[in-house]
Amino acid sequence: QLDSTQKRFDSALERIAAFEKAGGASALASEWRGDVYAAAGQSARAADAYAQAAQVAPSAALAIKGFRAASAAGQVRPEARLTEWLKAHPADPMVRLSLAEYRQRQGDRAGAIADYEQAIRVWPGPAALNNLAWLYFEVGDPRALELARRAHAGAAENADISDTYGWILLERGKIDEALPVLEAAAKSAPGAAEIQYHYAAALARSGKKEAAATVLKRVIHENANFPARGEAEALLESLEEKGPVDQ
């Protein structure tokens, strides 16, 4: 580990070879090789090493490591490392969450929702609750708000989780509740364009249009591209047309 941290990867591999030659467990040696290759940015070799380790001593940790390495290497169906483990261990929350997050990134909302729902039965952590709440919100599921509330209750200091909760509140018309939540998120993450836009939208809907315009001008100026840039520009234009009415 020290060799890898200091980028002495050849030295690290030599130590692993010596460990194995002295009778050390081959599965552990393969896993360590995978860790070294991953640290060195050799993702394909890392994926192969983790696969070798998993053949001898399969585990949830190896399934996740193998998946991450295969993903980084651009391999076809990297999630197969996770689904294979889940066939025998369907209630494993960490592997299930890794699969849910992957499917969410891939745009498979239905698959991600199903996996998050299974995961939170065993591990209802704030991050999992937050992600599922957002997916519910995207598909119009009324359970979104309560899940977001639970996530926020468990990690109110997390700007992303506060942003999810605040935005869902705002979209549900609960402006007075949403504004302080989104304000706290914006203060915690001043460089997060989406969060700043959501805060500006809350300001605008609460009648603080001049303050909203100030936030929008800054976020648009500082961020050449972000998912809600078009919405931010449209909101700013509408505010400038109507004029400020701060109270």
Side-chain angles (χ1 to χ4, degrees), residues 6 12 15 25 28 32 60 89 117 119:
Q6 297 179 348
R15 293 183 194 280
L28 187 54
W32 288 349
H89 308 85
E117 287 175 340

Side-chain angles (χ1 to χ4, degrees), residues 26 46 52 69 93-94 107 110 118 125-127 132 152 154 176 192-193 195 199 211 219 223:
S26 62
Q52 289 176 6
M94 294 299 100
Q118 289 193 60
L132 181 54
H152 184 257
D176 291 342
I195 292 176
Y199 174 46
V219 74
N223 299 272

Side-chain angles (χ1 to χ4, degrees), residues 85-96 118-119 121-123:
W85 176 259
L86 289 170
K87 286 178 182 178
H89 308 85
D92 187 302
M94 294 299 100
V95 176
R96 182 69 67 182
Q118 289 193 60
R121 293 187 190 120
V122 181
W123 187 265

Side-chain angles (χ1 to χ4, degrees), residues 117-148:
E117 287 175 340
Q118 289 193 60
I120 65 171
R121 293 187 190 120
V122 181
W123 187 265
L129 292 171
N130 174 77
N131 291 354
L132 181 54
W134 186 257
L135 286 167
Y136 278 163
F137 171 68
E138 289 185 322
V139 300
D141 192 310
R143 293 174 290 178
L145 182 56
E146 179 55 30
L147 274 189

